[in-house]
Amino acid sequence: MQYFSTNHQSPKVDFKQATINGQAPDKGLYFPEQIPVLPKEIIENITSYSNEEIAFQVIKPYVGDAIPEVDLKRIVNETINFDIPLVKVTDAIYSLELYHGPTLAFKDIGARFMSRCLGYFVKNLSKKVTVLVATSGDTGGAVANGFYDVDGVDVVILYPSGKVSSVQEKQLTTLGKNIHALEVAGTFDDCQQMVKEVFTDEALNEKLFLTSANSINVARWLPQQFYYFFAYKQWAPKNNPPVIAVPSGNFGNICAGILAHVSGLPVKHFIAACNANNIVPNFMQTEKYEPKKAVATISNAMDVGNPSNFIRILEIFQHQFVNLKKVLSSCSISDQETKDTLQKVYQTERYLLDPHGAVGYLALQRYLQNNPVEKGIVLETAHPVKFYDVVEPVIGEVVPIPESVQQQLLLEKKSTKIAAEVDLLKGFLLSL
Ligand SMILES: *Cc1c(COP(=O)(O)O)cnc(C)c1O
């Protein structure tokens, strides 16, 4: 499989080069030259396949011969070695719990896959690789955990000071070893901007081998398709294709879902559920894409004012808005609505959502009100305990903290504070 850049100025590369580069040299995102179609037989008999077999079949065409089959199978098996259950909440709404991985967030899947691919590729490189990542919350922890102690790889994580939850902050600042946390006085967009600028600094890139672990990296983005198939496997025998609501920020997750759909996964409709950062909801109304400065919300992992991956969604539909509109809707949910939903679903269904899941839940509920024959799935992207500072006051109860998180909360935070200036980041990278 070859990947082209969405800016069309860089040469095509294979999966290995796309993973190592992260972003294309022309600042575009890599996109597969063809979208593979999965054998019908797998979809029709999905319940007779193991998750490992499904995931391998899904990813194999994208990896091509960049990784031998035995190694790819091992990487896939290690990536998905935890539960991804589809849980019934009401007769019409199911929750796909993506938070049973090591950092209690869906990003574990992409981060685990990418770290193992990169670990495989760097074995044959002479230089050390530095993975650079900007996080609005969950990416940092998942990437830190995925790459912890991987030989030949340093990880530098930028996060907006005071804008991630305390559990999230601990997850990315307490590991040490090859994991370095930079606490930036600014927003997530500032962090992302700094990372983007560093990647395009030629002098620096001659000295260092830099790559990204943000969802723009194909090795993080593509494996996110897996759990859409796992959801369907748990759904298939009973129902018509589901409506799927995805809490969205940088739009990597939902873009992977749409890709899975184009490859043959039956889905009735996708809903991109956003918080107050409503760039895509506005676009779906007006067809005008107008990035804005991110605003802070209680679903902070989705506080993104210029969602990087949206360009890939446009690419899937070859920039044909009419076709996109048939598959995707988008809406914006306020913090108050998020809290009300969290509270109500807990009270009436005894199901505890996290703020991101609550945004998705309400978006789905609204859609189903207008389409009462349909049923749907909300992707529950994080464990509610990661946001206990938001969740507990809303439900008036304490959320039990899993053992693994409890231990982490006791560890000492180790971060380097810096202003949102790219030169400071460059200095730090050169000092490693
Ligand atoms: C990152 C994240 C999102 C948004 O995912 P994107 O792929 O950036 O759209 C949603 N919920 C949680 C909990 C996240 O960590």
Side-chain angles (χ1 to χ4, degrees):
M1 176 73 79
Q2 293 284 301
Y3 294 80
F4 66 87
S5 163
T6 51
N7 282 349
H8 302 282
Q9 303 300 313
S10 297
K12 288 176 188 165
V13 295
D14 69 356
F15 178 78
K16 174 179 175 177
Q17 205 54 47
T19 299
I20 291 174
N21 290 358
Q23 196 168 25
D26 64 6
K27 303 188 199 176
L29 272 61
Y30 285 117
F31 193 87
E33 223 174 8
Q34 307 98 29
I35 299 178
V37 176
L38 218 65
K40 268 210 167 64
E41 201 273 326
I42 296 182
I43 300 295
E44 281 163 8
N45 301 300
I46 195 156
T47 52
S48 61
Y49 287 84
S50 69
N51 282 1
E52 286 78 6
E53 283 168 321
I54 295 167
F56 177 73
Q57 292 297 335
V58 168
I59 205 71
K60 194 174 63 156
Y62 288 101
V63 175
D65 43 24
I67 302 176
E69 286 204 359
V70 282
D71 293 292
L72 184 59
K73 279 190 177 150
R74 173 186 55 79
I75 290 172
V76 164
N77 295 356
E78 287 176 12
T79 300
I80 55 170
N81 70 350
F82 48 85
D83 282 349
I84 305 186
L86 186 67
V87 176
K88 183 174 176 176
V89 182
T90 71
D91 282 342
I93 299 184
Y94 288 68
S95 167
L96 184 69
E97 294 182 350
L98 298 173
Y99 58 67
H100 297 282
T103 71
L104 314 180
F106 84 95
K107 292 191 175 75
D108 279 326
I109 291 148
R112 287 163 77 76
F113 186 79
M114 179 188 166
S115 63
R116 282 156 180 80
C117 290
L118 202 61
Y120 178 83
F121 294 139
V122 297
K123 270 190 214 148
N124 310 316
L125 291 177
S126 51
K127 268 201 226 168
K128 203 163 140 171
V129 174
T130 304
V131 172
L132 194 54
V133 53
T135 183
S136 60
D138 279 345
T139 303
V143 169
N145 190 286
F147 278 96
Y148 179 65
D149 225 4
V150 171
D151 271 348
V153 182
D154 262 320
V155 178
V156 176
I157 301 163
L158 283 76
Y159 71 98
S161 183
K163 297 196 177 68
V164 302
S165 81
S166 43
V167 177
Q168 286 176 330
E169 186 169 42
K170 290 284 179 165
Q171 285 182 332
L172 51 96
T173 59
T174 56
L175 285 167
K177 278 203 180 172
N178 59 329
I179 312 295
H180 313 274
L182 291 182
E183 187 175 348
V184 177
T187 62
F188 168 65
D189 286 332
D190 293 330
C191 297
Q192 188 150 287
Q193 189 56 36
M194 288 162 77
V195 168
K196 277 184 183 160
E197 282 180 37
V198 160
F199 279 124
T200 53
D201 182 316
E202 280 177 26
L204 193 72
N205 280 272
E206 266 165 32
K207 292 193 194 119
L208 300 172
F209 199 145
L210 293 173
T211 189
S212 100
N214 275 35
S215 54
I216 58 173
N217 193 301
V218 294
R220 261 200 61 197
W221 169 51
L222 295 169
Q224 297 178 117
Q225 295 176 87
F226 295 165
Y227 43 75
Y228 288 89
F229 289 92
F230 304 164
Y232 185 68
K233 179 175 151 183
Q234 297 171 74
W235 175 274
K238 330 186 262 271
N239 293 311
N240 292 327
V243 176
I244 300 184
V246 186
S248 293
N250 225 356
F251 278 71
N253 196 4
I254 192 164
C255 184
I258 295 173
L259 196 65
H261 174 53
V262 174
S263 295
L265 182 74
V267 177
K268 178 74 191 177
H269 196 70
F270 283 94
I271 303 166
C274 298
N275 56 28
N277 294 283
N278 57 1
I279 289 76
V280 173
N282 285 351
F283 174 82
M284 295 309 293
Q285 294 296 323
T286 63
E287 224 180 310
K288 289 201 187 80
Y289 185 83
E290 293 174 331
K292 289 187 227 166
K293 232 177 145 66
V295 296
T297 74
I298 56 169
S299 48
N300 65 39
M302 313 196 303
D303 293 350
V304 183
N306 186 9
S308 312
N309 276 289
F310 193 64
I311 179 79
R312 283 185 168 137
I313 295 184
L314 297 177
E315 202 66 56
I316 292 176
F317 294 95
Q318 291 160 349
H319 299 264
Q320 297 299 308
F321 187 69
V322 268
N323 296 341
L324 170 63
K325 230 179 144 106
K326 283 180 207 148
V327 176
L328 180 72
S329 307
S330 188
C331 71
S332 167
I333 305 290
S334 71
D335 277 359
Q336 191 56 52
E337 290 170 325
T338 306
K339 286 185 193 170
D340 292 347
T341 304
L342 217 156
Q343 200 261 345
K344 209 165 134 196
V345 174
Y346 187 61
Q347 206 166 49
T348 57
E349 316 298 343
R350 302 314 291 171
Y351 189 79
L352 187 57
L353 294 157
D354 92 293
H356 305 77
V359 168
Y361 192 97
L362 183 59
L364 179 58
Q365 208 173 32
R366 284 192 182 156
Y367 183 90
L368 296 179
Q369 269 159 11
N370 294 327
N371 299 272
V373 294
E374 308 296 348
K375 294 183 179 192
I377 295 172
V378 57
L379 268 50
E380 183 34 303
T381 46
H383 192 296
V385 80
K386 291 195 86 171
F387 301 92
Y388 70 91
D389 6 21
V390 174
V391 174
E392 288 181 354
V394 171
I395 61 167
E397 280 176 41
V398 172
V399 185
I401 300 183
E403 184 78 3
S404 60
V405 177
Q406 238 166 35
Q407 305 218 328
Q408 209 153 22
L409 285 174
L410 300 173
L411 298 175
E412 196 193 337
K413 162 180 156 182
K414 282 174 250 150
S415 69
T416 306
K417 291 192 176 181
I418 66 166
E421 288 167 26
V422 69
D423 285 341
L424 296 176
L425 174 58
K426 288 179 192 169
F428 183 84
L429 292 172
L430 289 169
S431 75
L432 282 179

